């Protein structure tokens, strides 16, 4: 999903609707503006069912394949509730 696609998707919801992400093991956490940032990610890097679909890019010293795809992404992190 791109920022443009996200904006178009969100337009159908009320402006005051709360935005949350799934919690670490259970429940839901708020999304906080100071926990949204951009970073490079490697697409389709997750190999196990407990990993996300995408992952951190390899270090420069690590071997990569020709089909390794690194992109810039907007990351939403859970806001700590403590």
């Amino acid at each position: 999903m791109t920022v443009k696609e996200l904006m178009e998707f969100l337009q159908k919801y009320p402006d005051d609707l709360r935005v949350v992400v799934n919690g670490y093991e259970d429940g839901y956490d708020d999304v906080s503006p100071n926990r949204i940032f951009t970073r490079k990610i490697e697409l389709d890097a997750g190999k196990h069912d407990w990993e996300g679909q995408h992952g951190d890019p390899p270090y420069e010293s690590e071997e990569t394949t020709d089909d390794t795809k690194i992109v810039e992404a907007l990351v939403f992190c859970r806001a700590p509730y403590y």
Side-chain angles (χ1 to χ4, degrees), residues 11-35:
Q11 286 179 354
K12 61 185 169 185
Y13 296 99
D15 291 346
D16 60 350
L17 186 65
R18 184 176 212 113
V19 178
V20 299
V21 295
N22 58 316
Y24 177 67
E25 288 193 23
D26 196 10
Y28 302 92
D29 292 324
D30 288 316
V31 173
S32 174
N34 63 347
R35 303 211 18 116

Side-chain angles (χ1 to χ4, degrees), residues 6-64:
L6 178 60
M7 289 169 47
E8 290 171 357
F9 179 80
L10 292 175
Q11 286 179 354
K12 61 185 169 185
Y13 296 99
D15 291 346
D16 60 350
L17 186 65
R18 184 176 212 113
V19 178
V20 299
V21 295
N22 58 316
Y24 177 67
E25 288 193 23
D26 196 10
Y28 302 92
D29 292 324
D30 288 316
V31 173
S32 174
N34 63 347
R35 303 211 18 116
I36 299 171
F37 54 90
T38 59
R39 70 169 294 143
K40 292 191 182 305
I41 62 169
E42 179 182 356
L43 297 181
D44 302 317
K47 305 289 186 245
H48 306 284
D49 60 358
W50 66 85
E51 296 177 312
Q53 179 179 356
H54 311 299
D56 291 320
Y59 294 108
E60 288 183 20
S61 61
E62 292 180 323
E63 190 174 321
T64 61

